[in-house]
Amino acid sequence: ILAAYLATRWYLHQGTLPGVVARLRQVREPALAGPLAGDQAPRLGRAVNRTLSRVPADSRCLVRSLVLLRLLARRGVAGSLVIAARPEADEGFDAHAWVEVSGRPVLPPASARYGRLVTL
């Protein structure tokens, strides 16, 4: 998880978000063959949340989602990065990112008050 975090932070300084997503998905050969079964993807998401919550640097929802995309790619699983937003009356704007596998959220999704902006 920490190696994927460091790679993610490096890639974020190198290019645009679609380019970062593409680079995180590039793996020579998946480390583990076959799709994740049952609750394994959500368990991996919880592990990412637990681990990165202890990192004393930026580990908000976007970074956590990107790290999870990398870990899923290493296991041969295609995940989708979802970004949603809502206008905030007092603060101007609020956004949230999460990962879905086969249309099911792996990290906590945004509430219904958010509108999807993009899925990568």
Side-chain angles (χ1 to χ4, degrees):
I1 292 173
L2 293 176
Y5 172 78
L6 292 173
T8 298
R9 298 292 300 166
W10 175 258
Y11 295 156
L12 281 169
H13 292 292
Q14 303 298 313
T16 64
L17 185 58
V20 170
V21 170
R23 287 185 76 181
L24 290 171
R25 287 181 173 145
Q26 291 176 352
V27 293
R28 290 187 185 145
E29 290 183 29
L32 302 171
L36 295 178
D39 69 340
Q40 290 177 342
R43 286 180 57 205
L44 186 57
R46 287 190 298 274
V48 167
N49 273 335
R50 273 194 318 272
T51 302
L52 295 184
S53 69
R54 301 184 195 302
V55 172
D58 182 15
S59 63
R60 291 175 285 184
C61 59
L62 177 61
V63 172
R64 291 177 188 202
S65 296
L66 293 171
V67 168
L68 182 57
L69 278 181
R70 176 64 167 200
L71 296 175
L72 290 170
R74 288 187 43 113
R75 287 160 176 78
V77 176
S80 299
L81 173 67
V82 181
I83 299 176
R86 70 180 176 127
E88 287 287 316
D90 297 337
E91 299 173 21
F93 184 77
D94 189 31
H96 184 61
W98 69 95
V99 172
E100 292 181 351
V101 173
S102 299
R104 297 181 64 192
V106 177
L107 291 176
S111 71
R113 297 184 319 215
Y114 287 73
R116 284 184 184 227
L117 293 177
V118 67
T119 301
L120 302 171

